[in-house]
Structures are given as C-alpha cells and as structure tokens.
C-alpha cells in the first residue's frame, strides 16, 4: 500500500501544482484558464522534441521548453488574447480559452509532427535510478517531482500572500481601474502573470509526461479537469485549500487502486472518477450550507470598473434601433418584409437547395450538418438566450443517440416511443442540473456541467451495453427517410421546427424573463420575474433538443458509439458555435454546415498534413470572439443590416421630399452616422 501512496503523492503533487496555477491565474487576472492542459501538452511535447528527437541534454531541453518557451508564449498570448479577456463576459472568457485548448494540440501535430511515442522521459536521466527507504521504492523522477512541487507551491504562496508583487496582482483583479490610478502598469503585471502560468503549465506537463505520455493531448485536458476539483474546493481563491485537496485526490486515487480488484470494469471507471467525485462532494457541502457558490453580478472589479465597462451587445442593439428607417409606400413595406424573411432564413434556404445541386456522397452530408445544427441550437437556447454556460450538451446528444439505439435494438421498442421516452429523460436530467447549479456563478456552472459530462463518459457511456464490443449500437432512420435526400429533408425539417421553437421562446414571456435575467439579474428578481421556472424550462427544452440532435446524428451514421460523444470532444462543438454566433438560429445551422463541409473540402482538395487545419481554424475562431463577442455570423449580419438600411435611407422613394424640406417624413442622416450607429 505504501508504494501506491508514494505514486499517488506524485500525481497529487501534479494536481496541486496544476490547481495552484489555475488559482494564481484567476486571482491575478480574473480568468479561469481552460487551456492550461493544452499548454502543458504543448511544452511537454516540445521537451520531448528537443530531448529525445534532437538529442539535447536534459538541463538544456528543460530550460528551453519550460521557463524560456513558457515565458515567451505567455507574453505573446497575453498581448494577442488574454489582455482582452480581463474585462470580458464570462462566456467570452470561457469560449476564448476553450478555443485555445482546441487549437493547440492539432497545431502541435502540424509543427512537431505526430509520431507514435511509446515512452516519455521525465527530468531524470535514463535509466531512472531507484532509491529505497526501507521497503519503499522511490524513483528519481518521483523525487524530482516532489522537489519541484514543493518549490513552486511554496514560492507561489509566499509571493502571492506576502510580497508587494502579490498585492499588486490581487489589486488588478479587485479593481483594475483603481489600480491603474495608483500607477500600476496593468500590461506589465498581466504579461508577468501569464508567463508564470505558462511556465507552471510546462513544468506540470513535463513532470506528468512519464505517467500520461505525450501521445494523447486529451490526457492533459483530463488532468486539468481533475484539478478543477481542487479549484472548486478552493472557491477559485484559496491556494492552501487547492494544494491540500490536490494531494488528497492523489492519495485517495492511490488507495482506490490498491483496494479495488485489478482488471475490473468498475475499477477502470472508478479511478478516473475520483477527482470528479470530489467536486460533487464539495458542491453538496456548499449547497447544504446554503452558500451561493461564486454567485456574483459585477464581473471582475469594483463599481468604478463596472461603470466604465462597455456592453457590446447593448451598444449594437441600440445602434440597430436608432437606424430604423420608415420608407413610405406599401411596396417598400412588402419588400422590407420579404428581405427580412429571406435574411432571417437565408442559411435554411441555402441548405434546402444543397441536396438538389450536390452529387455523390456529399448529398448525405447535408443531413449530418443539419443534425449538428440541431445540437448547436441547444447552445443557442441555453447560452444565447438563457445565459447558462453548460459544457455538457454533447453528453445529452449521446443520451439521445445511445438511449434510442439501445431501446430499439436491445429492447425492441417502437422507435417513436423510444424517442419520446429518451427526450423526456434528457429533459428531466436538464432540470436536475439546472436545480443543482441554480445558486452558482457562471464559472462554477461551466465546471459542474463539464464534470457531469466527464462522469457520464466514464461511468455510463463506457458500459458494455453501449460499447457492444467496440462497435456501438445500430440505429436506422425510418424506411421512408432511408434515402440520402429524404434524410436530408427530414433533418432540415427537424432543424426548422426546433429553430421556430427557439424563435417562439425568444419572443414569448419566457424569452423576456430570460433577457431580463441575462442583462440585469438583480433587477429581474426585484420585479418578481419567475427566473427559476424560466431557467428550468430552458434547461429542459435545450437538453431535449440536444438529445434529438444526437438521434439525428445516429440516423445519418447508422451507428451510435460512445466514442462519438465524449465530453472533451464537445469543447470543439462549443468553439464552432461560439465562433459563428451563439444568439442566432441561422448561425447554428451555419456552424453545422461548417463543421461538416470544411473538413470534407480540406481532405478532398488538400494533401499532406492538412487534416488538422479545420479544427485549428475553429479554435482560432473562438479566440477571435474575445475581440468580437457577437460571433462572426452575427457581426457580419449586423454590418449587412446597417448597409441595407443606409442604402434604403438614400433611396429617392424612401425620401419623396427634399432632404431640407420641413415636410420630409424621414430626415436623412449623414452617412458616417448611419454606418457608425451614432
């Protein structure tokens, strides 16, 4: 047992180091870095590239790949991305860091190659020397890990708590405006903080290399997801608590590994679930104490910071309202309505035409894109309208696909009955998660929903009844929709119906309550808006829509495999839909089309190592959201509306009277005011 605990302390130390890096970054900048694992993978892969591939000695490879590369990348990414996130909304912060996490691993494969790596060395020379304390064996890699963890954690705690530099970093979070008035250079502080964060990530990645390897970047993302348990326990701020819980998770995992029987299915599921069970325990503890976990309404800063903060969405909305043009004549009203209808449904119209003009296997890709669009609509409703940042909608898609496939193939249920039952179960699960996260802030909601997705992937989706020997479960569409074009139009019809449902919610009383909650939570509660019921209803409908999208995906592929619905894969889905725009139904379908057709075009017409290009582009697109929170589609649509309204305002028919005449019904505005929204 002692040998297991010694190994568990190494993993616990890596958890503690990772959690401390996340906490220090959050305390210093107000941003929870979801890309920490991808950064750790990048620098660990760089260390392997220098040390093994090119034969550099360990000290030189370690110095170049950890402090030097970490500092350089930290400064570069700070000025390119992170400095825009300090005052951004939570959704923008989460989406941008997820986009970075999505883009880094394929970029590493393009730059450093993707060889099969069987063993990964640590910081100890090979062969690794083993020391014995009595009957307990400790490797030099483990000893180095203990020393590095102690040095990093001790130095971090002392600097953050007891030095002027630590006080300055905390002041930048509490109120950047007041700190700037005191002469603090926010850019210098931010660059230093992110350099330290990248360096800690690189050290954690290299130390974890002998345990995790560097073949699969998802192992490092799972490492960070596990460290989130310590972050939650620390309430994003307490470094000692984060460190203690990190070590505790390593020890508990080692005890589980020692106590549980080897080669057991439940053992294989229980070991990776330990950190996420820690999250559940702490959240239940917080709920029993009646604490509002991370529930804040002023985002990162004080009253002065909130007063000078610009709300991009409200400015855009006000500009559009001010530019409303009232052209005279019924023909212009009819034309304006027709143009509005076409613009609001343009992507659906284009998608409906695609099956008629495409040929070969690409005809069936429209059904795949429409099915993805249905899942993306769940993000549109839940995040765009409800303001609830859930990272587990791919899990609900898996519930729909695997649930219906199991009931129809193994239990011989009628397909319609199976769909109704599974959608009901998904909606009930959505309500349960909404109830659990009701009193939590946005970051905690994101962490809890990601934890739910990981637990479902590890414990539920991995069951033999769903894995079925690695081949998954079969599910065919109805016989009348078995052809490629008929399946295309079935999926498009379902998307259109779901899009109409989202539009109806947006324009209903429920939508007004959600808008009030999203823009002014305290005000919505003060006027007696039924916020709780609205959030429950939104969660239930969004979960059912995601499950329905999963069923359509299975109709297209003919197979429901748990590997297609892993929680980490859903991060790429979020990157895509947020890049295109999370508030528009058209954007959801456009995201589905891009997610399906762009990789197909790349693999068909580009040769070589270009397969990673689409996922890199999706990740970079989510990073761009930091500068334009409305998304690519919404931003371009807004500019197009401004241009059309400006053109309408210049039409002689729209202004039958001279512009200087006092009888003119619509005064003409200067071009520069129309285009800028003044």
């Amino acid at each position: 047992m002692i040998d297991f605990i010694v190994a568990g302390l190494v993993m616990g130390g890596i958890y503690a180091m990772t959690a401390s890096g996340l906490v220090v970054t959050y305390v210093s900048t107000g941003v929870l870095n979801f890309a920490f694992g991808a950064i750790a993978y990048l620098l660990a892969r760089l260390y392997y590239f220098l040390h093994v591939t090119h034969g550099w000695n360990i000290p030189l490879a370690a110095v170049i790949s950890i402090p030097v590369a970490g500092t350089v990348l930290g400064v570069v990414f700070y000025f390119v991305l992170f400095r825009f996130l300090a005052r951004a909304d939570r959704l923008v912060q989460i989406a941008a860091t997820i986009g970075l996490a999505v883009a880094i691993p394929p970029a590493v494969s393009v730059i450093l190659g993707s060889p099969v790596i069987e063993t990964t060395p640590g910081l100890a020379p090979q062969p690794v020397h083993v020391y014995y304390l009595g009957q307990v064996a400790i490797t030099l890699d483990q000893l180095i890990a203990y020393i590095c963890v102690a040095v990093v954690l001790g130095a971090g705690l002392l600097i953050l708590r007891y030095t002027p530099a630590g006080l300055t970093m905390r002041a930048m979070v509490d109120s950047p405006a007041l700190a700037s008035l005191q002469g603090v250079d926010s850019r210098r502080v931010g660059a230093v903080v992110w350099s330290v964060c990248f360096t800690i990530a690189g050290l954690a990645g290299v130390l974890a290399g002998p345990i995790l390897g560097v073949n699969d970047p998802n192992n490092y993302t799972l490492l960070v997801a596990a460290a989130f348990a310590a972050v939650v326990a620390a309430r994003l701020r307490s470094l000692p608590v984060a460190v203690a819980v990190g070590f505790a998770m390593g020890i508990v995992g080692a005890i589980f590994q020692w106590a549980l029987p080897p080669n057991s299915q439940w053992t294989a599921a229980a070991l990776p679930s330990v950190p996420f069970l820690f999250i559940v325990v702490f959240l239940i503890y917080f709920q029993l104490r009646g604490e509002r976990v991370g529930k804040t309404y002023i985002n990162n800063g004080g009253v002065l910071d909130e007063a000078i903060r610009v709300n991009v969405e409200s400015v855009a909305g006000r500009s559009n309202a001010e530019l409303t043009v009232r052209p005279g004549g019924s023909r212009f009203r009819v034309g304006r309505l027709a143009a509005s209808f076409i613009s609001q449904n343009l992507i659906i119209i284009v998608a409906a035409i695609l099956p008629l003009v495409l040929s070969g296997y690409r005809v069936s890709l429209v059904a795949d894109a429409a099915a993805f669009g249905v899942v993306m609509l769940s993000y549109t409703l839940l995040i765009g309208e409800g303001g609830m940042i859930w990272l587990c909608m791919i899990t609900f898609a898996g519930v729909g696909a695997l649930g219906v496939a199991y009931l129809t193939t193994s239990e011989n249920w009628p397909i319609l009955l199976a769909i109704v039952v599974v959608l009901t179960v998904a909606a009930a699960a959505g309500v349960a998660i909404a109830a659990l996260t009701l009193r939590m802030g946005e970051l905690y909601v994101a962490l809890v929903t990601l934890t739910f997705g990981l637990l479902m992937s590890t414990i539920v989706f991995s069951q033999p009844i769903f894995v079925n020997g690695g081949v998954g479960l079969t599910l065919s569409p109805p016989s009348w929709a078995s052809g490629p074009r008929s399946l295309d139009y079935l999926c498009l019809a379902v998307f259109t119906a779901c899009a109409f449902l989202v539009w109806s919610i947006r324009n209903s009383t429920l939508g007004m309550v959600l808008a009030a909650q999203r823009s002014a939570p305290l005000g919505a509660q003060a006027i007696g808006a039924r916020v709780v019921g609205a959030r429950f209803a939104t969660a239930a409908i969004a979960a059912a829509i995601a499950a329905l999208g999963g069923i359509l995906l299975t109709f297209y592929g003919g197979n429901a495999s748990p590997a297609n619905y892993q929680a980490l894969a859903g991060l790429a889905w979020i990157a895509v839909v947020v890049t295109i725009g999370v508030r528009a139904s058209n954007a959801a379908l456009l995201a589905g089309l891009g997610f399906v057709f762009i990789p197909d075009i790349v693999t068909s017409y580009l040769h070589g190592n270009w397969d990673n290009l689409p996922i890199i582009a999706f990740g970079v697109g989510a990073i761009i959201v930091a500068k334009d929170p409305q998304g690519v589609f919404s931003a371009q649509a807004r500019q197009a509306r401004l241009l059309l309204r400006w053109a309408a305002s210049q039409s002689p028919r729209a202004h039958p009277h001279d512009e200087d005449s006092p009888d003119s019904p619509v005064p003409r505005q200067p071009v520069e005011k129309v285009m800028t929204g003044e």
Side-chain angles (χ1 to χ4, degrees):
M1 179 178 179
I2 300 297
D3 291 337
F4 285 94
I5 292 179
V6 169
L9 284 173
V10 173
M11 202 64 211
I14 295 174
Y15 285 148
M17 183 184 296
T18 303
S20 66
L22 294 169
V23 170
V24 168
T25 306
Y26 181 80
V27 170
S28 305
T29 66
V31 178
L32 184 61
N33 185 14
F34 282 81
F36 192 97
I39 297 165
Y41 168 75
L42 164 63
L43 297 180
R45 186 72 177 79
L46 177 61
Y47 173 76
Y48 181 90
F49 180 78
L50 297 177
H51 174 49
V52 178
T53 306
H54 288 275
W56 290 23
N57 60 58
I58 290 177
L60 181 59
V63 169
I64 296 299
S65 60
I66 300 175
V68 174
T71 299
V72 172
L73 290 175
V75 172
V76 170
F77 277 104
Y78 169 73
F79 285 102
V80 171
L81 172 63
F82 291 117
R83 68 190 180 99
F84 300 104
L85 298 181
R87 299 291 300 153
D89 290 332
R90 291 298 185 199
L91 173 61
V92 175
Q93 291 181 350
I94 294 173
T97 53
I98 285 177
L100 188 60
V102 168
I104 284 178
V108 170
S109 297
V110 171
I111 298 172
L112 301 181
S114 53
V116 177
I117 301 172
E118 296 181 355
T119 59
T120 303
L123 294 176
Q126 301 290 325
V128 179
H129 187 72
V130 180
Y131 300 93
Y132 290 92
L133 296 177
Q135 300 297 320
V136 179
I138 301 177
T139 66
L140 183 56
D141 266 332
Q142 292 174 333
L143 186 60
I144 293 175
Y146 294 149
I147 296 173
C148 291
V149 169
V151 171
V152 170
L153 297 181
L157 183 61
L158 291 175
I159 292 173
L160 199 60
R161 282 285 189 91
Y162 303 109
T163 66
L167 179 62
T168 300
M169 289 187 291
R170 285 180 285 145
M172 287 302 301
V173 177
D174 293 336
S175 180
L178 291 177
S180 299
L181 291 177
Q182 294 296 321
V184 176
D185 188 345
S186 61
R187 292 179 298 178
R188 180 180 299 176
V189 173
V192 170
V193 168
W194 284 106
S195 298
V196 172
C197 172
F198 274 59
T199 301
I200 293 176
L203 181 58
V206 172
L207 292 177
I211 303 173
L212 303 179
V214 290
N215 264 328
D216 188 359
N218 285 337
N219 290 335
Y220 291 83
T221 305
L222 283 172
L223 171 68
V224 176
F228 282 149
V231 174
V232 169
R235 305 189 187 202
L236 300 171
R237 291 190 176 275
S238 176
L239 190 58
V241 173
V243 171
V245 174
F247 277 108
M249 289 191 300
I251 295 173
V252 171
I255 293 175
F256 273 28
Q257 190 173 7
W258 169 76
L260 294 175
N263 302 323
S264 169
Q265 170 193 340
W266 290 104
T267 301
L271 290 178
S273 302
V274 169
F276 311 120
L277 295 177
F278 267 75
I279 292 182
V280 174
V281 169
F282 278 105
L283 288 176
I284 293 175
Y285 170 72
F286 293 149
Q287 292 284 1
L288 292 177
R289 293 190 60 180
E291 299 180 10
R292 302 178 69 84
V293 184
K295 194 73 171 180
T296 57
Y297 296 109
I298 296 178
N299 187 44
N300 296 343
V303 176
L304 177 60
D305 301 276
E306 187 69 14
I308 64 176
R309 181 165 169 257
V310 178
N311 189 320
V312 178
E313 182 178 348
S314 64
V315 171
R318 185 172 63 251
S319 300
N320 290 343
E322 290 174 354
L323 289 174
T324 301
V325 178
R326 302 178 300 275
S330 60
R331 285 179 298 173
F332 292 98
R333 294 191 185 95
V334 173
R336 193 152 47 101
L337 290 175
S340 176
F341 175 82
I342 294 175
S343 64
Q344 292 179 10
N345 300 279
L346 179 62
I347 306 301
I348 298 178
I349 295 173
V350 171
I353 297 174
L354 284 179
L356 304 177
V357 299
L358 294 176
S359 60
Y361 72 92
R362 288 194 175 92
V363 175
S364 62
L365 293 183
V366 177
D368 193 22
F372 272 112
V374 173
V375 180
M376 301 304 181
L377 271 179
S378 66
Y379 292 111
T380 302
L381 177 59
L382 195 68
I383 300 178
E385 297 300 322
M388 294 178 281
I389 307 174
W390 287 22
L391 305 183
C392 63
M393 301 316 291
I394 188 174
T395 303
F396 286 108
V399 169
L402 296 172
V404 172
Y406 172 75
L407 292 177
T408 54
T409 58
S410 300
E411 303 297 330
N412 297 319
W413 284 30
I415 188 169
L416 290 179
L417 178 61
I419 291 175
V420 171
V421 170
V422 169
L423 295 186
T424 304
V425 171
V431 172
I433 295 177
L436 177 64
T437 59
L438 184 63
R439 299 168 61 87
M440 298 179 187
E442 294 92 341
L443 284 177
Y444 284 90
V445 172
L447 294 177
V448 170
T449 51
L450 179 60
T451 299
F452 169 75
L454 292 169
L455 284 174
M456 288 289 292
S457 299
T458 303
I459 297 177
V460 179
F461 291 174
S462 62
Q463 294 301 308
I465 59 173
F466 299 126
V467 177
N468 193 26
V471 299
L473 302 173
T474 59
L475 179 64
S476 301
S479 57
W480 50 270
S482 57
R485 286 188 173 84
S486 58
L487 183 59
D488 289 345
Y489 288 112
L490 170 63
C491 294
L492 285 172
V494 174
F495 175 86
T496 304
C498 293
F500 178 77
L501 175 61
V502 173
W503 177 85
S504 301
I505 292 174
R506 181 182 295 128
N507 292 277
S508 67
T509 304
L510 174 60
M512 289 187 287
V513 173
L514 293 175
Q517 164 67 16
R518 192 174 61 248
S519 59
L522 292 177
Q525 294 179 10
I527 64 175
R530 298 181 178 179
V531 175
V532 175
R535 290 172 69 90
F536 286 177
T538 304
I541 297 172
I545 290 176
L548 185 58
I551 296 170
L552 295 179
L553 287 172
T554 308
F555 281 169
Y556 164 77
N559 176 269
S561 174
N564 296 331
Y565 302 101
Q566 298 299 306
L568 295 181
L571 299 181
W573 296 13
I574 296 174
V576 174
V577 72
V578 173
T579 298
I580 304 300
V582 78
R583 292 295 308 279
S585 299
N586 265 322
L589 182 55
L590 184 60
L593 290 169
F595 196 70
V596 171
F597 279 94
I598 291 178
D600 174 71
I601 293 172
V602 169
T603 55
S604 298
Y605 297 102
L606 297 179
H607 302 286
N609 196 17
W610 291 100
D611 293 348
N612 292 311
L613 181 61
I615 197 67
I616 295 175
F618 295 144
V620 172
I623 296 172
I624 295 174
V625 172
K627 296 184 179 180
D628 193 346
Q630 299 299 308
V632 175
F633 179 85
S634 299
Q636 297 304 317
R638 186 170 66 249
Q639 293 300 323
R641 287 195 299 269
L642 292 175
L643 183 61
L644 289 174
R645 287 170 178 168
W646 171 77
S649 68
Q650 304 305 306
S651 171
R653 293 178 179 270
H655 304 282
H657 301 276
D658 184 79
E659 61 178 329
D660 297 325
S661 172
D663 298 327
S664 177
V666 182
R668 299 174 73 179
Q669 302 184 40
V671 173
E672 62 272 13
K673 288 190 175 183
V674 173
M675 298 306 293
T676 59
E678 296 181 2

